[in-house]
Amino acid sequence: DQQVKQNSPSLSVQEGRISILNCDYTNSMFDYFLWYKKYPAEGPTFLISISSIKDKNEDGRFTVFLNKSAKHLSLHIVPSQPGDSAVYFCAASAQESNFGNEKLTFGTGTRLTIIP
Amino acid sequence: DGGITQSPKYLFRKEGQNVTLSCEQNLNHDAMYWYRQDPGQGLRLIYYSQIVNDFQKGDIAEGYSVSREKKESFPLTVTSAQKNPTAFYLCASSIDLLRGSSSYNYGYTFGSGTRLTVV
């Protein structure tokens, strides 16, 4: 039962254009969402996050949009650069208690290739 | 520099052998996690620990075991009961955050991974 889905396994975008990566979730209890970037043979690194009390969060070239009614979020990268070529994972968490950590549920990832 | 270290980077195991993957962090993080990455499957949670001497099974714990005797260390043993152990294994850690802050940041710090191959 895949609670976080990234339906596009790969995406190719011309350098300088906008990259849009999509993520859908099924668990309505998820209230915090994150994007991670992963290069081959390395661990993922945190990119950007958004709480369910917001519908947009921006950090430089990266913007995450959240549509709670559609249970959908997207990551926009603009302008896209060759160094952005990597696998991007969407992740979500649900508040299980007022204290402590929550587990992250990850999507299957989207491989982004930026074409020079 | 603080970080999370996984070793070895590559590991080969014969059929029927147990192997232990090391994960050490000096970030003073409370929680630690083990994930497995397979092509097309994303990251799947094996085990996690929120505090020393305590750990919980994740989604795919069968054939694996862990221990958390020290805050800094969370080794994963892949036992002979794991039928398909060839994969890329990722260890992660996170701080224990008090929810409720409107501006809290949250995320895992990952190690660089161990690629395990059964030969």
Side-chain angles (χ1 to χ4, degrees):
Chain A
D1 178 25
Q2 192 72 30
Q3 296 187 67
V4 178
K5 301 177 184 179
Q6 294 176 256
N7 292 320
S8 298
S10 63
L11 175 68
S12 294
V13 174
Q14 204 78 31
E15 181 179 359
R17 298 287 185 100
I18 182 171
S19 296
I20 300 175
L21 294 89
N22 294 305
C23 178
D24 297 292
Y25 61 96
T26 56
N27 187 343
S28 58
M29 299 301 292
F30 286 147
D31 63 351
Y32 201 75
F33 305 89
L34 307 92
W35 284 94
Y36 285 83
K37 176 180 179 180
K38 184 183 180 302
Y39 293 117
E42 293 183 12
T45 54
F46 171 74
L47 197 56
I48 193 169
S49 62
I50 187 167
S51 165
S52 60
I53 62 173
K54 297 183 176 182
D55 54 18
K56 176 183 174 181
N57 189 27
E58 191 172 353
D59 183 3
R61 297 187 298 114
F62 304 92
T63 303
V64 56
F65 295 92
L66 176 62
N67 182 334
K68 288 187 291 293
S69 61
K71 294 191 178 67
H72 176 84
L73 65 156
S74 61
L75 173 68
H76 293 209
I77 306 173
V78 56
S80 300
Q81 298 174 354
D84 296 330
S85 294
V87 176
Y88 289 79
F89 289 99
C90 169
S93 74
Q95 181 174 357
E96 296 177 4
S97 66
N98 287 325
F99 298 86
N101 311 87
E102 302 87 26
K103 302 187 304 294
L104 289 182
T105 300
F106 286 84
T108 52
T110 296
R111 180 178 301 280
L112 175 65
T113 302
I114 305 302
I115 305 166
Chain B
D1 281 341
I4 182 166
T5 303
Q6 289 186 243
S7 62
K9 196 167 180 65
Y10 300 96
L11 187 58
F12 296 90
R13 189 194 93 170
K14 292 184 178 179
E15 294 272 0
Q17 276 185 336
N18 292 355
V19 289
T20 297
L21 283 61
S22 170
C23 179
E24 304 275 335
Q25 55 99 358
N26 60 2
L27 299 164
N28 200 32
H29 283 177
D30 297 292
M32 297 186 74
Y33 312 81
W34 275 104
Y35 283 88
R36 168 179 171 146
Q37 185 188 12
D38 296 280
Q41 301 243 26
L43 303 179
R44 293 184 292 167
L45 181 64
I46 304 172
Y47 267 99
Y48 66 103
S49 167
Q50 294 183 311
I51 196 170
V52 174
N53 291 323
D54 188 45
F55 48 83
Q56 287 79 40
K57 292 182 179 180
D59 301 317
I60 54 166
E62 185 176 350
Y64 299 97
S65 66
V66 293
S67 63
R68 187 86 187 276
E69 297 176 1
K70 299 185 300 181
K71 187 175 185 178
E72 303 79 18
S73 178
F74 191 41
L76 173 75
T77 297
V78 184
T79 75
S80 56
Q82 170 49 236
K83 298 304 178 191
N84 186 22
T86 294
F88 189 59
Y89 290 86
L90 285 161
C91 180
S93 67
S94 67
I95 59 174
D96 190 7
L97 288 174
L98 174 63
R99 267 185 176 261
S101 165
S102 61
S103 60
Y104 80 95
N105 196 0
Y106 178 90
Y108 290 1
T109 300
F110 281 89
S112 55
T114 293
R115 181 161 296 281
L116 173 64
T117 304
V118 173
V119 296

